[in-house]
Amino acid sequence: MNVLVTGARGFVGRNLVENLKNIRDGKNRTRPNIHIDAIYEYDLENTPEELNRYCADCDFVFNLAGVNRPKDPREFREGNFGFASTLLDTLKRHGNRAPLMLSSSLQATLSGRFGTSEYGLSKRDGEELFFRYGEETGAKVYVYRFPNLVGKWVRPNYNSAVGTFCHNIANDLPITVNDPGVVLEMLFIDDLLEEMYDAMEGHPHRAEYPKTGEIIDGVEYDGLTPRPKADGRYCCAPITHKASLGRIVELLRSFHDQPQSLVMPAIPDGSFEKKLYSMYLSYLPKEKVAFDLKMNCDARGSFTELLKTADHGQFSVNISKPGITKGQHWHNSKWEFFIVVSGHGLIQERRIGTDEVLEFEVSGERIQAVHMLPGYTHNIVNLSDTENLVTVMWANEIFDPKNPDTFGEKV
């Protein structure tokens, strides 16, 4: 399959092209039904001759080209309708009935605040052009109306408030939030890419857009929300997220503060928080990519907290110098894992009130996780005369200096 991507240097285009390369080169094996031979990247810098050649040879077209921030509103029609006409005419001239995907916008619904949008009108015209082309040629046409598109490589201070917030907060620049209660619907680029692969495989998610106030199966629609429908005229990416501007900023500030607090918020699989954190990190300046951790050092070695989680405890690393014993304390309900990753040591545990001692000889040559049991006083001894003992430690809760649940007692 030869794939033509117009608008290849834009936000969606860049992400799509690089990930199509992963499929083409066998790096992404999650889509075994997609076989890519060539990727034709078309943008403003390309020539009409190149577009002509690409249209003659492509087997699938992603039309991502468009204008959304022109100096003159009249450029909307030229960029969103004019180029689409050129693209379709060129395909028609070559008799190429390859499937086409069109990147449109929710503004094309002309619903609510979008009712007089020049951008929305140009997008609506582009949609109709594609639908007529499909009827005339028999080519499969997939028209997507996207909400706010977000993710890595979104251009800040352009057409994405989320991209601007990520960039500014990551770079310690001010942001302005006029109404923190405003709710955005967001489609993350990686979720969009999965839907684009579905389209390439011939099974996009179909939908229709009921009119404002229309009630279907007890649900009143707002003109902007797609309703899944197997034979729907439009297509849609099924996974989007809604969050208020206030919530978005709150999360971004917690991500910004993580190197100081060491607290990682809850980021369940597939969650908005997990995806937003990934997006935020893509805006970090070089000087923030690495950050120092506080090493608590003394004659015995050092102890450094690495990471604290909102609901799964914390991670630390302990370094013991040759011959040193650390620990000699117990907990009521707190429990830990000790994982020696370098050196040679001995872990001892004794149940409080008894003489029975559990011993575990540990080494970086054979990495094991050893439970520090509640109600057992425990220690860790560096058995080497020359090498440091390095132990990664996990505790089931973040250390609370006001209630440490830690009581000194030798094993």
Side-chain angles (χ1 to χ4, degrees):
M1 176 187 292
N2 298 327
V3 183
L4 169 58
V5 180
T6 72
R9 297 190 179 183
F11 161 57
V12 178
R14 289 174 61 201
N15 276 278
L16 176 60
V17 167
E18 293 305 319
N19 282 281
L20 289 178
K21 291 177 183 177
N22 287 337
I23 294 177
R24 179 196 64 190
D25 299 339
K27 299 175 183 178
N28 179 352
R29 299 185 178 89
T30 64
R31 295 284 177 158
N33 295 325
I34 299 178
H35 304 279
I36 299 175
D37 298 307
I39 303 169
Y40 299 134
E41 303 176 44
Y42 183 85
D43 214 292
L44 294 173
E45 293 76 11
N46 293 90
T47 65
E49 291 75 20
E50 288 174 305
L51 180 63
N52 184 66
R53 188 170 73 252
Y54 299 159
C55 285
D57 196 41
C58 63
D59 302 299
F60 196 100
V61 180
F62 288 101
N63 184 37
L64 309 176
V67 174
N68 53 27
R69 288 287 293 270
K71 295 179 180 178
D72 186 331
R74 289 175 297 183
E75 294 177 32
F76 277 134
R77 184 169 181 82
E78 179 181 346
N80 295 328
F81 182 85
F83 173 75
S85 298
T86 300
L87 172 66
L88 298 180
D89 287 345
T90 307
L91 289 166
K92 192 182 296 185
R93 187 167 62 249
H94 288 286
N96 188 341
R97 295 190 295 173
L100 300 98
M101 175 270 189
L102 172 64
S103 170
S104 188
S105 166
L106 277 182
Q107 293 196 37
T109 61
L110 303 179
S111 296
R113 66 185 187 278
F114 301 136
T116 58
S117 164
E118 289 287 343
Y119 176 68
L121 287 167
S122 68
K123 284 294 191 181
R124 170 70 72 89
D125 289 344
E127 292 178 355
E128 294 304 319
L129 187 67
F130 268 68
F131 285 131
R132 287 196 299 271
Y133 173 84
E135 293 169 358
E136 294 171 4
T137 65
K140 294 180 180 178
V141 171
Y142 307 132
V143 175
Y144 286 84
R145 288 175 164 176
F146 294 139
N148 296 280
L149 296 177
V150 295
K152 65 182 184 303
W153 305 341
V154 162
R155 180 178 170 185
N157 302 306
Y158 185 61
N159 64 345
S160 170
V162 182
T164 300
F165 291 164
C166 285
H167 172 270
N168 286 20
I169 290 175
N171 289 274
D172 298 312
L173 298 173
I175 63 169
T176 300
V177 181
N178 294 321
D179 184 356
V182 170
V183 175
L184 296 183
E185 181 180 10
M186 290 156 282
L187 171 55
F188 282 89
I189 187 63
D190 294 330
D191 293 324
L192 171 54
L193 290 177
E194 293 300 322
E195 175 61 24
M196 296 169 99
Y197 302 152
D198 287 346
M200 293 178 73
E201 293 177 342
H203 53 87
H205 290 82
R206 291 283 184 177
E208 61 180 7
Y209 284 84
K211 295 179 181 179
T212 302
E214 188 173 351
I215 299 176
I216 302 176
D217 296 331
V219 177
E220 183 175 352
Y221 285 83
D222 57 5
L224 298 171
T225 302
R227 175 177 179 264
K229 189 178 181 183
D231 61 348
R233 192 184 194 205
Y234 296 90
C235 299
C236 68
I239 301 175
T240 62
H241 299 268
K242 291 183 178 180
S244 69
L245 292 179
R247 174 59 175 161
I248 293 169
V249 171
E250 177 187 20
L251 284 168
L252 292 176
R253 293 203 185 281
S254 74
F255 304 158
H256 172 277
D257 294 342
Q258 195 279 331
Q260 288 75 46
S261 70
L262 299 183
V263 176
M264 181 67 61
I267 48 173
D269 189 38
S271 67
F272 170 68
E273 291 80 5
K274 182 177 181 179
K275 296 172 185 178
L276 184 65
Y277 208 149
S278 293
M279 179 179 176
Y280 168 79
L281 291 176
S282 71
Y283 291 86
L284 283 183
K286 179 182 177 181
E287 60 270 19
K288 288 191 176 183
V289 174
F291 57 93
D292 292 333
L293 296 171
K294 182 184 178 183
M295 297 181 65
N296 299 288
C297 302
D298 59 25
R300 302 172 301 160
S302 66
F303 178 81
T304 305
E305 293 180 321
L306 302 178
L307 179 68
K308 302 176 182 180
T309 70
D311 51 6
H312 287 88
Q314 73 174 55
F315 296 86
S316 308
V317 62
N318 180 76
I319 300 177
S320 300
K321 292 183 177 180
I324 291 297
T325 297
K326 285 190 175 183
Q328 308 287 40
H329 60 240
W330 63 281
H331 317 290
N332 279 305
S333 58
K334 181 185 298 185
W335 58 280
E336 302 158 300
F337 280 127
F338 283 9
I339 305 168
V340 168
V341 296
S342 180
H344 179 208
L346 177 68
I347 293 173
Q348 298 176 308
E349 302 184 57
R350 177 177 59 81
R351 183 174 180 176
I352 294 300
T354 74
D355 296 327
E356 181 185 3
V357 177
L358 309 179
E359 293 191 339
F360 305 92
E361 192 169 346
V362 288
S363 168
E365 300 298 317
R366 179 170 175 259
I367 296 178
Q368 296 178 296
V370 182
H371 288 95
M372 298 300 106
L373 304 174
Y376 281 70
T377 186
H378 50 268
N379 64 25
I380 183 166
V381 183
N382 186 348
L383 297 178
S384 173
D385 295 328
T386 57
E387 297 181 0
N388 286 340
L389 181 67
V390 181
T391 308
V392 174
M393 298 177 172
W394 173 83
N396 70 323
E397 61 188 34
I398 295 176
F399 180 74
D400 180 0
K402 294 182 180 180
N403 183 24
D405 187 15
T406 301
F407 311 97
E409 183 169 334
K410 290 184 178 181
V411 174

